[in-house]
Amino acid sequence: MTMGVQFACDTEWRMNGHVKSMQFMEPATTLLSLLLVMAFDSTRTVAASRNQQCGNSLQQTFKLTRLIQKESVNLIKTYKASQGEMSELFCKVSVNNVPDPNISGMEPSERIVSIYTHLQDFFPHFKRVYEQQTDLQSPTSPLLRELSRVSAHSRSLVALISSFYQSLFPNLPLPEPAGGPTTLPPPQNVFQQKVYGCVVLKTYKELLSNVSRELRTLKSKVCRRRIQINTLF
């Protein structure tokens, strides 16, 4: 009888201890779950914030590209109007040494680098066209003003693309300019200068169209993909 009472007491004591242990574990488990949820929400908030920054930066870059694209259309019109007779034929002549307007690369990082380098490839040509047209136009020519404006806006675009790239790929530095001599045409007569200038401007407009199209594609490939990856983890 005594052993039965003792067994019952021991059993009750163990049960009470188990219940108390469970009572202690429930708040701890709840707290851990709450902390996990908070950490997950915080990660999603940071991911959403980063994606918004990605989208905003890309949108700003796209808007400037579209602006320069419109300016380049007007620039070509002004250029043709200032060149006199046969101006419509100037842009149809084939010219060597003008940069390629096509974007290259397989990965988004490579294609952004291609945009970055292609835009810069045109800067020496813009400078040459401006110098040539300075000799052919009056100092108050609207062509010279428009050339300067497009060139300045293009340099701002390069800066935006550099910033956008570095925010996406901080461990992949942008390549520095090669530093070698830029391939520019040899001395030209007036007719050749007029042809060269028109081809440079027309090709640059093609590049801007390609850049604009590429930025639309990058938005879905880069910014939205970052949302999915960050949400999953």
Side-chain angles (χ1 to χ4, degrees):
M1 185 70 176
T2 303
M3 290 180 63
V5 172
Q6 181 65 37
F7 177 78
C9 291
D10 291 344
T11 300
E12 182 179 1
W13 182 83
R14 285 195 297 271
M15 289 296 293
N16 289 338
H18 179 69
V19 170
K20 290 178 180 179
S21 177
M22 290 295 293
Q23 290 174 344
F24 173 77
M25 290 177 64
E26 286 179 1
T29 303
T30 302
L31 178 60
L32 178 60
S33 299
L34 180 61
L35 290 174
L36 288 173
V37 169
M38 291 174 63
F40 181 71
D41 287 343
S42 176
T43 301
R44 293 189 64 180
T45 300
V46 171
S49 175
R50 287 176 179 174
N51 182 75
Q52 184 177 5
Q53 292 175 359
C54 174
N56 290 342
S57 177
L58 191 57
Q59 184 67 17
Q60 185 180 10
T61 306
F62 178 74
K63 285 183 177 180
L64 183 55
T65 302
R66 292 285 292 168
L67 172 63
I68 305 172
Q69 199 175 351
K70 292 178 180 178
E71 290 177 344
S72 69
V73 172
N74 294 330
L75 177 57
I76 291 175
K77 292 179 181 178
T78 303
Y79 185 90
K80 289 179 178 180
S82 65
Q83 302 306 308
E85 298 179 358
M86 298 173 33
S87 61
E88 288 296 330
L89 299 176
F90 294 154
C91 288
K92 298 179 181 179
V93 179
S94 177
V95 175
N96 295 326
N97 303 328
V98 175
D100 182 6
N102 297 311
I103 309 302
S104 61
M106 296 296 293
E107 297 297 324
S109 60
E110 295 171 341
R111 297 189 73 80
I112 298 174
V113 168
S114 180
I115 293 172
Y116 177 78
T117 55
H118 276 58
L119 288 169
Q120 292 188 94
D121 287 342
F122 274 88
F123 291 164
H125 293 272
F126 266 108
K127 182 180 178 182
R128 172 64 65 85
V129 172
Y130 184 89
E131 291 170 349
Q132 291 175 342
Q133 292 300 314
T134 299
D135 293 335
L136 298 175
Q137 307 295 327
S138 68
T140 59
S141 169
L143 174 61
L144 299 179
R145 292 197 303 272
E146 291 184 30
L147 278 169
S148 296
R149 181 164 56 245
V150 169
S151 180
H153 286 168
S154 297
R155 291 182 182 278
S156 297
L157 178 59
V158 166
L160 282 178
I161 291 172
S162 173
S163 177
F164 176 65
Y165 176 88
Q166 290 171 356
S167 68
L168 289 177
F169 310 105
N171 298 322
L172 296 175
L174 277 167
E176 293 294 328
T182 301
T183 305
L184 291 171
Q188 300 167 310
N189 60 39
V190 172
F191 177 79
Q192 291 172 328
Q193 290 178 14
K194 292 182 177 184
V195 169
Y196 167 71
C198 199
V199 173
V200 167
L201 299 184
K202 184 191 76 170
T203 309
Y204 189 63
K205 182 173 72 70
E206 293 175 13
L207 172 63
L208 292 170
S209 297
N210 293 336
V211 171
S212 179
R213 183 164 52 250
E214 190 65 32
L215 292 177
R216 289 195 195 96
T217 304
L218 283 170
K219 185 173 184 180
S220 60
K221 283 186 176 181
V222 179
C223 295
R224 291 180 184 175
R225 187 173 65 181
R226 290 182 72 184
I227 272 187
Q228 294 169 355
I229 293 174
N230 289 322
T231 301
L232 285 173
F233 292 96

